[in-house]
Amino acid sequence: EESLEEESVVGFGKLQWEVHKFGGTSVQNAECFENVANIIEEQINISSQNCAEPCDKNLAVVVSAMGGKPKTTDLLLSCVKAAANRDYVELENLLNFITEKHFTCLVSLFSSEAERNRLKKIIKGDLNDIRDILKTVSLMKWQASRISELVSSYGEIWSAQILTSLLKQRANERVSNS
């Protein structure tokens, strides 16, 4: 009879889970995303010669928003503050900076224009949603913590989407080259 403790570490296929958390500094630019992808592929035993060797563990990956100076999360929180203060010039400057930061990374990472454009479309759509949310903040002159949490969470979502697409691109390249 298995104990509860043993059951809590067993995952799919009776394999243990290994969790990796990559903070903002680890995903602050294209080069850093490539390094994270290398680490993940190393952890699941992927090499350029071996595309599909079975993995002996379940791997979960958590990524923060893009770091660097300034950090994406700080920029997003500053957007909420600018909206509450009705500083529309600052708000647009911040949103444009966030856009440029992410689009620069996409151009460096993705050889496929279609994939770059797909990710750009997602980020642009999310930024439009953020603008809509911030209109309410501006009208009410109210910087609620739940709104700040919602707006700042987009950075992690974008990083996860970028990393996922990068890993898929690299896998496709390995298959093409084999």
Side-chain angles (χ1 to χ4, degrees), residues 3-51:
S3 73
L4 210 68
E5 191 174 292
E6 289 170 344
E7 290 176 355
S8 67
V9 296
V10 175
F12 301 116
K14 303 249 186 231
L15 299 175
Q16 289 190 342
W17 278 97
E18 191 171 297
V19 179
H20 291 269
K21 166 72 166 80
F22 296 97
T25 302
S26 298
V27 291
Q28 69 182 338
N29 58 37
E31 182 181 351
C32 292
F33 270 101
E34 291 281 4
N35 290 337
V36 168
N38 288 336
I39 292 167
I40 293 168
E41 290 170 347
E42 183 179 294
Q43 289 298 306
I44 56 176
N45 301 320
I46 291 178
S47 68
S48 57
Q49 295 80 29
N50 181 11
C51 296

